[in-house]
Amino acid sequence: PQLRESGPGLVKPSETLSLTCTVSGGSINTGAYYWAWIRQPPGKGLEWIGTIYHSGSTSYNPSLRSRASMSVDTSKNQFSLKLTSATATDTAVYYCARMAVTLDYWGQGTLVSVSS
Amino acid sequence: QSVLTQPPSASGAPGQRVTISCSGSSSNIGGNAVNWYQQLPGTAPKLLIYAHNHRPSGVPDRFSASKSGTSASLAISGLQSEDEADYYCSAWDDNLKGYVFGTGTEVTVL
């Protein structure tokens, strides 16, 4: 399978960061996998944001739970992330990934900068 | 926020063996499988080892891993120039109900 992130590369502070992950080479509508978002601030390590199942069931990192929401569109084979009230600390490369036994397939990542 | 602790750097000459440690707790490494990722500059992390010591297709057997209690380690034998990268450990965390990652180790081939 291949995963590809898309969305604005620049978001203003206090606005909502929105990203979509398009999955090809396999259906998102299968009970075999969960789908995840991970981010990596420039020069720093990886942070798990959250996970969604094809049914829409979600799980979020407690540090982001109040601002993050994920959704899935099985008709388009996509899942999405919204992060409200963005600040400069949300500047990062955002990755989407497939979760089976582990996070096995990742997208190439997309850099989102939060700046006015 | 990284929950698993790794040394910031490791190095070795070509052909040598390098080992990277990863320290966690009972809620992550102590009770769940450990995975390792390789991240080349400017690219996405690539799964290197999963479920303690299983390699995805295409990953050379120069890479091996082990786990003991709440710690794990990755070994790279026969070090090659293309092994220069950042390496991250990861495990499911029962408290977080999500994945936690290590602080990352930069491997340099001298």
Side-chain angles (χ1 to χ4, degrees):
Chain A
Q2 291 188 335
L3 295 87
R4 179 178 289 270
E5 307 85 354
S6 60
L10 182 63
V11 175
K12 288 184 168 55
S14 80
E15 294 190 344
T16 297
L17 183 158
S18 297
L19 295 172
T20 296
C21 181
T22 301
V23 180
S24 57
S27 174
I28 200 172
N29 196 18
T30 169
Y33 310 113
Y34 285 76
W35 306 92
W37 287 98
I38 304 100
R39 68 180 182 178
Q40 184 173 33
K44 295 188 178 180
L46 299 160
E47 180 182 33
W48 172 74
I49 299 172
T51 308
I52 189 165
Y53 198 48
H54 70 94
S55 64
S57 174
T58 55
S59 178
Y60 299 107
N61 189 321
S63 68
L64 297 169
R65 184 174 291 137
S66 63
R67 298 193 295 125
S69 65
M70 297 174 62
S71 60
V72 62
D73 187 336
T74 55
S75 67
K76 295 182 179 178
N77 229 33
Q78 295 176 334
F79 62 103
S80 299
L81 169 71
K82 290 187 187 299
L83 197 60
T84 61
S85 304
T87 69
T89 58
D90 294 316
T91 294
V93 175
Y94 286 75
Y95 297 101
C96 60
R98 188 184 81 170
M99 188 173 96
V101 174
T102 185
L103 299 163
D104 54 2
Y105 287 92
W106 296 54
Q108 62 186 19
T110 186
L111 175 63
V112 179
S113 297
V114 180
S115 175
S116 55
Chain B
Q1 76 279 26
S2 298
V3 174
L4 308 179
T5 303
Q6 300 178 233
S9 62
S11 62
Q16 285 190 332
R17 176 184 170 95
V18 167
T19 301
I20 301 168
S21 62
C22 174
S23 178
S25 68
S26 57
S27 66
N28 41 68
I29 293 178
N32 297 293
V34 179
N35 313 292
W36 290 89
Y37 295 88
Q38 178 192 59
Q39 187 175 33
L40 297 170
T43 69
K46 168 192 167 186
L47 182 62
L48 202 62
I49 299 276
Y50 66 96
H52 305 317
N53 198 18
H54 292 83
R55 291 182 305 277
S57 174
V59 174
D61 59 7
R62 302 185 293 104
F63 295 92
S64 62
S66 63
K67 170 183 142 172
S68 177
T70 58
S71 295
S73 63
L74 173 73
I76 310 172
S77 59
L79 197 62
Q80 299 181 5
S81 58
E82 58 259 38
D83 298 333
E84 280 205 339
D86 292 330
Y87 292 83
Y88 292 91
C89 58
S90 176
W92 181 265
D93 189 285
D94 294 327
N95 293 336
L96 182 66
K97 291 185 173 48
Y99 276 99
V100 291
F101 294 92
T103 47
T105 299
E106 180 181 15
V107 169
T108 303
V109 181
L110 302 171

